[in-house]
Amino acid sequence: MTQPNRKPDERIICALDVPTTAQAAALVDQIQDAVGFYKIGLQLFATGGMDLARDLKAEGRKVFLDWKLHDIGATVEKAAASLADAGCDLLTVHARPQVMAAAARGVAGSNLKVLGVTVLTSLTADDLAADDHSLSPAELVELRVRQALEAGIDGVVSSPHEAARVKEIATQAGRDDFLIVTPGVRPSGAALDDQARAATPETALLAGATHLVIGRPITAAADPRAAALAVAESIALI
């Protein structure tokens, strides 16, 4: 993989949602210096994802481990502590109070920041109702954001549709440093794919997002580097 030689906009996180680390590394080589922050998700979890993470960190890039940890507190705490030793930047856990608090203990003293996953951007109100939730997506996100703040973690993952409310709640709690990482970001004209609650990069940032997770609009483009640069240009003045 080539090393970055320009300063990319680190609000853009490129999702490397591909089957193999070789494909992921090839994408990073194509994107070059247009992106400096990469998400490694569950698809790469069992196929060398941590090796890829270490390679990216060695090249000066930032790494988001989107692994959505969810287990008993002791297990989550130990897993988070192990991942903190790898020097990565962001880690997701499910936004359950005990899980978030355990992850916060596990990463204490490290630079790894913990994000609670509130409500997946592919879910609608009907999906939540089918799962026996009485709350709407927005109401459930609000509940989980408050629980994340109480647990002392660094931020949440939520759709752009809830970003403004998340920011408002965090600000009221005195957490201006609270991270709001938004998947479901699609540049104007891009296909929504499986995202039910999506928005453009500009809309997401103006609503309060601190980071944008963008996958297929960059990685499936004919020229991934040009696609990433186009997103960076669209948000340059925000």
Side-chain angles (χ1 to χ4, degrees), residues 13-122:
I13 303 175
C14 179
L16 295 173
D17 293 331
V18 292
T20 69
T21 55
Q23 287 173 275
L27 276 170
V28 174
D29 278 343
Q30 286 181 282
I31 295 168
Q32 298 177 28
D33 55 2
V35 171
F37 212 142
Y38 288 92
K39 179 179 84 75
I40 299 175
L42 288 176
Q43 193 170 12
L44 291 173
F45 176 78
T47 58
M50 279 309 303
D51 289 336
L52 175 64
R54 293 186 181 95
D55 289 344
L56 291 171
K57 289 301 298 181
E59 294 174 354
R61 295 178 169 94
K62 290 190 173 183
V63 175
F64 172 19
L65 299 175
D66 187 20
W67 290 354
K68 301 179 181 69
L69 301 184
H70 189 191
D71 210 314
I72 64 171
T75 299
V76 170
E77 182 175 347
K78 291 173 184 176
S82 295
L83 294 171
D85 290 339
C88 295
D89 301 277
L90 299 176
L91 168 69
T92 53
V93 302
H94 277 276
R96 301 293 190 274
Q98 289 184 345
V99 172
M100 293 186 288
R105 293 193 298 271
V107 304
S110 76
N111 292 323
L112 181 60
K113 297 183 183 300
V114 176
L115 306 173
V117 178
T118 56
V119 177
L120 297 176
T121 52
S122 61

Side-chain angles (χ1 to χ4, degrees), residues 185-208:
V185 175
R186 292 289 185 269
S188 297
L192 292 179
D193 299 305
D194 54 358
Q195 302 295 342
R197 299 181 347 268
T200 65
E202 302 94 317
T203 301
L205 288 175
L206 289 171

Side-chain angles (χ1 to χ4, degrees), residues 1 4 7 24 40 45 72 76 78 89 105 119 126 150 160 172 176 179-180 198 201 217 234:
M1 290 181 284
K7 182 66 174 174
I40 299 175
F45 176 78
I72 64 171
V76 170
K78 291 173 184 176
D89 301 277
R105 293 193 298 271
V119 177
D126 288 341
E150 291 173 6
Q172 290 171 348
D176 291 332
L179 301 178
I180 305 170
S234 73

